[in-house]
Amino acid sequence: MSDRIPWPLGIVTALLLAIIVAPLLVPIAMSISDTPYIVFPPEGFTLEWYVAVLTEPEAQSALLVSLKLALVSTIGAMLLGIPCAMALVRLRFPGRGLVQALVLGPLVVPLIVTGVGLLQTFSLLGLRGAFLQMWIGHMVVCIPYVVRSVSGALATADPTQEDAARVLGAGPVAVFLRVIWPQIRPGVAAGAIFAFIISFDDFAISMWLADARSFPLPLYLYAAIQRFFDPSIAALSALMVFFALGLVLLIEKGLGIGVRRIAS
């Protein structure tokens, strides 16, 4: 059987890719223009706008908040998502379908709705601290990605190896570290990278929970657009695109895991 894609399907796929990628190319093109105002197509070539945005104290502070928030959110999502995925894949218990629907619910519920719901919940509970609130909110939306990727890895793991290890006297910890972990490690790594990207780029959740001291990069970008709009804003947008693209390429090339496989 031939693996070649029929040409009508290839044309449609190319058009869809162009529609998706084109908006990402526009800020990248504008960020290298040597004019002090937004113009497209760009005039000249310069990288001064990247230097300007990277040396801006407010941008540096927002970047640091986003990195810290993405890191702790990823760690929290991994600590909760890996056991959850193992329970959903390996165990059969009453209400399993309901638990799975609740865990994966943030994938289908609009983030703006999730953000409003979290804000109301935190207000009712009297929970203070914007960074803590954003951490919990980001974990809520990151856990489903960890569960999906780890579940996919567990589905392809060989359970007979675990049974053999138990028969030979290995305890639960030894079975996990020596048998299960090597098989699911790529899925765990992919889930961690996806969780980091989702948290780092999140706007809808942070918009409702952030304050002046905990102000992540997507909110800084939005606020900067409201004040002024020059190529430095496009440079910052381009850097965020490059960062996310680099992490995705790490999954594809460095870990050898196809994004299509994880999404399925």
Side-chain angles (χ1 to χ4, degrees), residues 98-111 114 140-141 144:
L98 177 61
V99 172
Q100 186 174 21
L102 291 175
V103 171
L104 301 180
L107 291 176
V108 296
V109 176
L111 289 179
T114 303
V140 168
V141 298

Side-chain angles (χ1 to χ4, degrees), residues 4 19 32 68 91 109 121 156 171 174 185 199 207 218 247 255:
R4 296 182 60 184
I19 294 173
I32 60 175
K68 291 168 54 179
L91 302 181
V109 176
T121 301
T156 60
R185 185 167 49 198
S199 176
M207 177 182 65
L247 292 179
L255 302 176

Side-chain angles (χ1 to χ4, degrees), residues 8-22:
L9 180 59
I11 294 176
V12 173
T13 303
L15 289 174
L16 290 176
L17 287 175
I19 294 173
I20 295 173
V21 173

